[in-house]
């Protein structure tokens, strides 16, 4: 698994342009097939290169040749610097031996002196985070623990060039993060990385460059975003009935187009609200995206969609005619249709790209007619609004006050009491139960009460408006509700769905007290335990979602 | 790809020296592998040969009551140890015959995924067999002392003889390890071979007896194991100088040339190992 190449071929001068790995025309022939065919590329010192490709593309073979465990049939690989290769996890581990014993063994394989391991053992142990297991035989380990153990040794080695084959894909997210962090810090120290990964996010976030292999041939070498786009286009249709063309566009930017050609995007434009094509917009500006599709074969209800991505290729927003339930109906060959999308660019300042696509059904995985990647690049410019970070421009308001607002309990006349997010009346949600309220419960059996201080209304007539939602089940499809104010009934009725109840509060209610003590009586209130197999015995009647008491 | 080219210098001795830590670890692992997980652990490394020695002394010393020579000092116990000397050599070679054909093949992970100097795989097997050989030899010497025989100055031949034996073992190990990659059936062959070796090496009988059968002697006199066992017996048990003359020269030459042959065959082929596994 871990292997140290003791050879340091040349002394290294500290220039970033020095070649770390030079691969010249490497081919590898096995008995029946050619695993690699004339691969050539160069990795500069301090560079991080990701190798991507489908299974069987020759990625691992290439890494093995670079690591020196497999001879190339033709060509040459030159490495300048100490190479450490992590090609397979668990190799070299002997199941009968303990973690510590295996650590020493692997350290010896890597050429790490025993003394150093003795000194750094606590550090290694704390990186591995496998606790007491380190003294137990490796056969008792989970696969994740093996990875941790194997990786922990990397903290102690000092390679100039690291070669990693999908090692990070095992292990939990936490450990993967930890390893990615370690790799970043290695990168800061100027170490060179070459790794195979199936994780786009990893390649995007760690690599300066990506190399795409397919059937032993190097087919793309460039910026991770460009290569990954090409790769995803490649895999989106396994049958390969489409051709992929990658066109060099303005300023060396590449555009990927793929699809089976049953329909093609023949015209597209990004315009402002006055239908003038533009590439720079203000935050929140209205834009119109137009896309003309030419049908080449009879198609039933094709889907047209757009996708906005940020500079690093993250999807920001995308939708299509399918999701908007627009039926394009049956189209015959030669017909053209224009689809227009209107949207508002509530995006952070920065560069974005627009992708248009025509396909069948909800997405382009199954049947992709034409996928035109990054065909328009546009900018969102900052405007007068306060600075914010991120790619979304959410409306925001900020208030600072020295008076700390009282959140509950005090209401003045006419205020809406919204129980939905702050109060405790919202006793059930679509997702399930909330945790029981700790400080104040206002349900008591089948009664609920609420005391409200009301400012002197000056003798005017008061009205109560309450937004109430009953808890109903199949068996109990209504709730009877009686609302009493200071003991006097002010409302009585049957609720079947959420309703806004508006009642006048009779003046006699306030005879005894200027405040109002509201009581909600719900005789049919029931708990979940009564109507389902749930064990929750908390009683549910109605959810009081909003309440206003106001004078006329 | 670039660290393999120079390892043939000094017939691999440089490789062993440069990787001595790793070699030591591998050998250590081979030695402890068998007893790993057992309750008494490393104690078996001494107990096993001790029990064997006891068994042989009992069976061949007390039950069979044979003799190698007409020397007055040869007691039953000494006779048993004489047999044990032969067995020790055969055990060493049989161990190599048994493990080395698979020592590269069974470590495909290390071969394919690491840049380990592959020489260490067969060499560590020989190291393990050599270790066991030395432990048994020590017990044997102790046994001799216990039974009242003090080895003379000629017993010092033990060291050059053993070193040449190790080189013979290394040569065989290299050859078998290489053949094992291309031709897995070799394991079956070596099983029979080690049995044949046991009977062809004058373990249970004396060389003098063999000389009385001229047909057998005409072939078996070239058996290096036989020569070695006889040399061990005469120097250690009887304190005689080596008297084999031409055969002894032949023996040393055989060991060294086997080593050189094995080493070069291995070196020539090791780059292709990964492709064949």
């Amino acid at each position: 698994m871990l292997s140290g190449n003791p050879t340091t071929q040349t002394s290294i001068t500290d220039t970033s342009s020095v070649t770390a790995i030079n691969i010249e025309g490497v081919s590898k022939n096995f008995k029946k097939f050619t695993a690699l065919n004339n691969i050539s590329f160069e990795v500069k010192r301090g560079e991080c290169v990701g190798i991507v490709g489908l299974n069987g593309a020759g990625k691992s073979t290439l890494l093995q040749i670079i690591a020196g465990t497999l001879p190339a049939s033709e060509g040459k690989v030159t490495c300048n610097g100490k190479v450490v290769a992590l090609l397979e996890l668990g190799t070299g581990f002997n199941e009968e031996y303990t973690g510590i014993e295996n650590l020493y063994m692997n350290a010896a394989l890597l050429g790490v002196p025993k003394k150093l391991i003795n000194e750094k053992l606590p550090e290694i142990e704390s990186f591995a985070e496998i606790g007491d297991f380190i003294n137990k035989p490796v056969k008792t380990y989970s696969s994740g623990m093996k990875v941790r153990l194997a990786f922990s040794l990397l903290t102690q080695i000092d390679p100039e060039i690291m070669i990693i084959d999908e090692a990070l894909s095992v292990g939990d997210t936490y450990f993967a993060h930890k390893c990615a962090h370690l790799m970043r810090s290695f990168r800061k120290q100027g170490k060179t990385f070459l790794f195979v990964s199936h994780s786009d996010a990893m390649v995007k976030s760690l690599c300066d460059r990506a190399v795409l292999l397919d059937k032993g041939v190097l087919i793309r070498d460039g910026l991770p975003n460009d290569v990954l786009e090409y790769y995803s286009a490649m895999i989106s249709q396994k049958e390969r009935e489409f051709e992929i063309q990658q066109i060099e566009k303005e300023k060396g930017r590449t555009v990927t187009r793929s699809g089976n050609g049953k329909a093609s995007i023949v015209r597209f434009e990004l315009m402002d609200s006055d239908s003038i094509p533009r590439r720079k917009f203000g935050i929140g500006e209205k834009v119109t995206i137009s896309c003309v599709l030419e049908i080449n074969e009879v198609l039933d209800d094709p889907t047209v969609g757009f996708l906005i991505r940020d500079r690093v290729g993250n999807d920001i927003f995308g939708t299509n005619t399918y999701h908007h339930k627009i039926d394009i109906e049956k189209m015959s060959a030669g017909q053209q249709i224009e689809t227009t999308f209107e949207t508002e660019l509530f995006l952070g300042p920065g560069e974005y790209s627009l992708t248009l696509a025509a396909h069948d059904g909800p997405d382009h995985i199954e049947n992709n007619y034409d996928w035109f990647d990054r065909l328009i690049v546009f900018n969102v410019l900052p405007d007068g609004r306060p600075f914010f970070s991120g790619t979304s421009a959410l409306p925001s308001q900020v208030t600072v006050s020295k008076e700390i607002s009282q959140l509950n309990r005090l209401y003045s006349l006419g205020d809406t009491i919204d129980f939905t997010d702050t109060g405790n009346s919202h006793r059930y949600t679509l997702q399930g139960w909330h945790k029981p309220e700790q400080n104040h419960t206002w349900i008591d059996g089948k009664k609920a009460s609420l005391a409200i201080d009301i400012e002197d209304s000056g003798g005017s007539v008061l009205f109560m408006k309450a937004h109430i939602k009953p808890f109903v089940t199949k068996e109990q499809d209504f709730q009877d509700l009686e609302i009493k104010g200071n003991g006097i009934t002010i409302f009585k009725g049957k609720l079947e769905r959420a309703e806004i109840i508006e009642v006048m509060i009779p003046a006699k209610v306030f005879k005894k007290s200027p405040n109002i003590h509201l009581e909600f009586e719900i005789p049919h209130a029931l708990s979940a335990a009564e109507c389902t197999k749930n064990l929750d015995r908390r009683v549910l009647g109605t959810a009081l979602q909003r309440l206003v008491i106001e004078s006329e | 790809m670039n660290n393999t080219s120079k390892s043939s210098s000094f017939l691999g001795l440089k490789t062993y020296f440069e990787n001595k830590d790793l070699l030591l670890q591998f050998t250590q692992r081979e030695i402890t592998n068998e007893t790993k997980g057992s309750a008494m652990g490393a104690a078996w490394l001494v107990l096993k040969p001790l029990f064997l020695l006891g068994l042989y002394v009992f069976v061949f010393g007390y039950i069979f009551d044979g003799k190698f020579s007409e020397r007055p000092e040869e007691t039953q116990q000494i006779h048993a140890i004489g047999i044990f000397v032969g067995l020790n050599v055969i055990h060493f070679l049989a161990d190599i015959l048994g493990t080395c054909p698979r020592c590269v093949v069974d470590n495909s992970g290390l071969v394919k995924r690491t840049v380990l100097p592959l020489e260490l795989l067969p060499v560590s097997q020989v190291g393990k067999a050599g270790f066991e050989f030395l432990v048994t030899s020590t017990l044997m010497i102790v046994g001799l002392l216990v039974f009242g025989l003090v080895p003379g100055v000629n017993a010092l031949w033990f060291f050059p003889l053993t070193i040449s034996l190790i080189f013979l073992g290394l040569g065989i190990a290299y050859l078998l390890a290489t053949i094992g990659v291309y031709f897995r059936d070799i394991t079956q062959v070596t099983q029979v071979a080690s049995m044949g070796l046991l009977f062809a090496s004058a373990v249970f009988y004396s060389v003098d007896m063999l000389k009385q059968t001229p047909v057998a002697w005409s072939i078996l006199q070239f058996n290096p194991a036989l020569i070695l066992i006889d040399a061990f017996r005469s120097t250690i048990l009887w304190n005689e100088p080596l008297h084999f003359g031409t055969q002894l020269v032949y023996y040393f030459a055989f060991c060294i040339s086997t080593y050189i042959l094995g080493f070069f065959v291995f070196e020539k082929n090791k780059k292709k190992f990964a492709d064949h596994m």
Side-chain angles (χ1 to χ4, degrees):
Chain A
M1 151 208 38
L2 300 163
S3 59
N5 184 339
T7 325
T8 306
Q9 278 210 331
T10 52
S11 61
I12 287 153
T13 49
D14 227 334
T15 338
S16 58
S17 63
V18 167
T19 305
I21 308 172
N22 193 17
I23 298 148
E24 294 167 76
V26 166
S27 298
K28 179 72 191 173
N29 303 310
F30 288 109
K31 271 176 202 152
K32 291 253 169 68
F33 72 103
T34 305
L36 292 174
N37 193 355
N38 197 16
I39 306 277
S40 294
F41 63 94
E42 223 183 54
V43 181
K44 297 259 185 272
R45 211 162 107 76
E47 207 175 18
C48 183
V49 176
I51 301 178
V52 292
L54 298 167
N55 287 335
K59 304 177 299 270
S60 296
T61 310
L62 180 62
L63 285 196
Q64 282 184 39
I65 290 176
I66 295 169
T69 64
L70 204 62
S73 305
E74 278 166 48
K76 209 174 88 180
V77 175
T78 330
C79 298
N80 291 322
K82 188 182 169 198
V83 179
V84 168
L86 192 70
L87 294 181
E88 191 184 60
L89 286 159
T91 319
F93 274 165
N94 188 316
E95 299 268 306
E96 292 291 334
Y97 289 81
T98 66
I100 292 270
E101 285 168 325
N102 275 303
L103 265 185
Y104 278 109
M105 186 71 189
N106 275 307
L109 275 173
L110 282 163
V112 182
K114 201 172 172 176
K115 222 178 97 190
L116 186 74
I117 301 294
N118 284 337
E119 281 168 21
K120 298 292 181 73
L121 201 57
E123 211 173 298
I124 297 172
E125 279 179 45
S126 76
F127 188 86
E129 289 186 69
I130 55 173
D132 282 344
F133 271 95
I134 200 141
N135 292 315
K136 288 185 180 146
V138 169
K139 65 181 172 189
T140 62
Y141 285 27
S142 70
S143 54
M145 287 160 93
K146 279 185 205 163
V147 182
R148 282 157 180 247
L149 186 67
F151 229 88
S152 64
L153 204 56
L154 291 191
T155 54
Q156 300 311 321
I157 51 164
D158 187 26
E160 275 146 2
I161 301 167
M162 264 193 96
I163 298 174
I164 301 178
D165 191 356
E166 296 192 82
L168 291 172
S169 54
V170 209
D172 53 34
T173 325
Y174 167 69
F175 197 71
H177 273 279
K178 209 167 155 177
C179 294
H181 183 75
L182 181 71
M183 283 174 71
R184 282 201 188 94
S185 71
F186 271 171
R187 286 211 54 202
K188 271 188 200 150
Q189 296 163 28
K191 298 189 196 306
T192 310
F193 276 92
L194 187 62
F195 74 94
V196 164
S197 178
H198 284 297
S199 154
D200 284 10
M202 193 105 136
V203 174
K204 274 184 193 172
S205 66
L206 286 174
C207 294
D208 307 310
R209 231 173 88 202
V211 167
L212 174 61
L213 293 188
D214 187 38
K215 292 177 185 159
V217 184
L218 192 156
I219 53 172
R220 275 289 176 286
D221 179 351
L223 294 172
N225 268 329
D226 296 342
V227 173
L228 286 173
E229 253 163 38
Y230 189 90
Y231 180 47
S232 78
M234 205 174 93
I235 55 178
S236 74
Q237 187 87 326
K238 282 200 186 113
E239 299 100 62
R240 305 276 177 87
E241 53 183 66
F242 54 80
E243 286 177 4
I244 301 175
Q245 312 151 4
Q246 200 157 18
I247 315 156
E248 288 282 322
K249 280 195 57 174
E250 34 167 347
K251 282 188 269 168
R253 184 184 305 287
T254 47
V255 172
T256 304
R257 188 170 189 180
S258 61
N260 57 18
K262 288 184 180 170
S264 35
I265 295 163
V266 291
R267 212 192 73 199
F268 51 84
E269 198 45 81
L270 176 65
M271 297 165 291
D272 62 14
S273 49
D274 299 325
S275 297
I276 296 164
R278 264 167 56 184
R279 295 292 179 268
K280 288 188 167 68
F281 300 94
I283 297 169
E285 195 170 341
K286 248 191 195 146
V287 293
T288 305
I289 300 159
S290 131
C291 171
V292 176
L293 190 68
E294 188 172 286
I295 313 294
N296 302 324
E297 257 177 56
V298 179
L299 295 175
D300 192 21
D301 188 17
T303 305
V304 181
F306 77 96
L307 174 65
I308 292 173
R309 287 197 180 128
D310 69 5
R311 204 172 49 82
V312 289
N314 292 321
D315 294 357
I316 299 297
F317 181 81
T319 190
N320 59 31
T321 52
Y322 179 92
H323 294 308
H324 280 262
K325 298 197 169 57
I326 292 167
D327 191 356
I328 300 185
E329 292 170 356
K330 200 162 190 156
M331 305 292 296
S332 51
Q335 263 184 299
Q336 285 195 345
I337 42 161
E338 177 168 9
T339 314
T340 312
F341 300 97
E342 273 174 37
T343 184
E344 287 164 31
L345 297 175
F346 283 105
L347 301 173
E351 192 181 275
Y352 297 88
S353 70
L354 178 71
T355 295
L356 287 177
H359 46 81
D360 181 32
D363 52 43
H364 69 291
I365 309 292
E366 279 278 312
N367 217 337
N368 177 15
Y369 304 144
D370 197 0
W371 175 275
F372 218 145
D373 231 338
R374 289 158 64 92
L375 80 179
I376 292 174
V377 172
F378 62 92
N379 281 284
V380 173
L381 303 174
D383 59 6
R385 74 179 69 197
F387 175 81
F388 61 97
S389 59
T391 52
S392 307
L394 304 182
S396 57
Q397 271 166 1
V398 184
T399 317
V400 178
S401 166
K402 282 186 180 162
E403 282 166 42
I404 311 304
S405 58
Q406 296 288 324
L407 277 180
N408 285 319
R409 295 310 166 206
L410 265 178
Y411 308 96
S412 55
L413 200 60
D415 278 354
T416 299
I417 306 167
D418 192 337
F419 296 93
T420 46
D421 32 276
T422 55
N424 58 6
S425 70
H426 195 166
R427 304 192 72 88
Y428 62 94
T429 65
L430 282 174
Q431 283 79 24
W433 303 97
H434 282 297
K435 61 176 184 181
E437 289 68 28
Q438 284 158 351
N439 302 332
H440 38 273
T441 299
W442 57 281
I443 205 155
D444 175 22
K446 303 204 167 175
K447 253 189 206 168
S449 60
L450 176 70
I452 298 173
D453 294 314
I454 291 178
E455 288 168 18
D456 192 4
S457 60
S460 63
V461 185
L462 293 180
F463 287 90
M464 183 184 84
K465 217 192 301 182
H467 186 176
I468 298 178
K469 191 175 165 195
F471 175 65
V472 289
T473 64
K474 227 179 236 173
E475 289 76 28
Q476 177 68 45
D477 57 358
F478 68 93
Q479 292 287 350
D480 279 329
L481 173 67
E482 186 175 354
I483 305 176
K484 287 180 181 167
N486 293 345
I488 294 157
T489 301
I490 55 176
F491 172 83
K492 200 170 178 180
K494 196 186 214 178
L495 289 176
E496 282 171 15
R497 63 189 74 82
E499 270 180 53
I500 296 173
I501 297 163
E502 269 191 88
V503 285
M504 196 190 81
I505 304 176
K508 57 183 174 178
V509 169
F510 298 104
K511 239 176 211 167
K512 289 179 206 160
S513 143
N515 303 332
I516 186 165
H517 178 81
L518 290 172
E519 273 177 294
F520 295 75
E521 269 179 42
I522 311 133
H524 300 298
L526 74 170
S527 70
E530 286 170 67
C531 53
T532 65
K533 282 181 181 157
N534 202 312
L535 288 175
D536 198 317
R537 298 209 164 272
R538 283 177 291 162
V539 176
L540 292 168
T542 57
L544 177 57
Q545 292 181 323
R546 223 170 294 149
L547 183 78
V548 190
I549 296 176
E550 54 195 353
S551 57
E552 210 171 358
Chain B
M1 65 199 26
N2 33 34
N3 63 331
T4 49
S5 53
K6 285 175 203 134
S7 56
S8 58
S9 51
F10 304 111
L11 291 169
L13 298 182
K14 205 175 154 199
T15 313
Y16 311 152
F17 185 74
E18 275 172 359
N19 296 289
K20 55 182 187 307
D21 289 345
L22 199 53
L23 183 58
L24 203 68
Q25 285 228 29
F26 266 86
T27 310
Q28 215 173 357
R29 182 159 282 198
E30 288 302 332
I31 293 168
T32 50
N33 254 350
E34 273 177 38
T35 55
K36 194 78 195 171
S38 63
M40 302 220 284
W44 280 115
L45 295 175
V46 178
L47 287 180
K48 217 165 78 180
L50 190 67
F51 288 154
L52 271 179
L53 182 65
L55 195 66
Y56 274 85
V57 168
F58 180 70
V59 174
F60 288 96
Y62 294 94
I63 301 179
F64 281 106
D65 192 22
K67 270 191 178 232
F68 282 127
S69 62
E70 295 308 313
R71 292 177 184 87
E73 64 268 36
E74 181 171 357
T75 61
Q76 291 164 326
Q77 295 90 339
I78 303 294
H79 171 72
I81 290 185
I83 288 177
F84 204 62
V85 169
L87 274 172
N88 194 17
V89 173
I90 298 303
H91 177 78
F92 173 80
L93 292 172
D95 195 353
I96 290 169
L97 287 176
T99 55
C100 289
R102 300 204 59 85
C103 73
V104 173
V105 179
D106 283 350
N107 283 303
S108 63
L110 290 175
V111 177
K112 285 186 184 170
R113 313 280 182 199
T114 68
V115 280
L116 173 80
L118 295 182
E119 289 83 1
L120 301 190
L121 294 174
V123 172
S124 58
Q125 294 289 355
V126 176
K128 171 216 167 198
F131 175 80
E132 286 174 4
F133 179 83
L134 288 178
V135 170
T136 311
S137 300
T138 312
L139 285 173
M140 228 162 50
I141 304 289
V142 174
L144 281 179
L145 296 173
V146 168
F147 296 126
L149 194 145
V150 181
V153 77
N154 277 309
L156 290 175
W157 276 105
F158 172 80
F159 297 102
L161 287 172
T162 303
I163 290 169
S164 56
L165 173 66
I166 301 267
F167 275 99
L168 177 65
L170 285 171
I172 296 171
Y174 276 136
L175 279 174
L176 291 177
T178 311
I179 297 169
V181 174
Y182 301 102
F183 186 66
R184 308 273 161 106
D185 314 45
I186 190 75
T187 342
Q188 313 301 322
V189 179
T190 54
Q191 277 171 13
V192 179
S194 57
M195 204 61 171
L197 194 64
L198 175 67
F199 294 117
S201 304
V203 174
F204 300 111
Y205 49 89
S206 72
V207 173
D208 295 332
M209 264 169 68
L210 192 65
K211 281 178 181 162
Q212 288 158 20
T213 331
V215 186
W217 176 246
S218 62
I219 302 163
L220 292 183
Q221 60 177 319
F222 297 108
N223 177 358
L226 181 139
I227 300 169
L228 178 69
I229 290 168
D230 202 54
F232 269 140
R233 279 179 191 152
S234 54
T235 54
I236 300 171
L237 297 183
W238 321 125
N239 193 19
E240 287 171 3
L242 285 178
H243 53 67
F244 254 90
T246 49
Q247 275 176 25
L248 201 75
V249 175
Y250 160 76
Y251 166 72
F252 282 117
F254 187 89
C255 293
I256 298 303
S257 45
T258 307
Y259 175 73
I260 294 171
L261 174 73
F263 179 71
F264 279 113
V265 168
F266 189 84
E267 289 301 301
K268 194 101 184 131
N269 285 286
K270 68 176 182 185
K271 280 189 178 177
K272 299 179 208 151
F273 286 169
D275 285 343
H276 281 271
M277 286 156 56

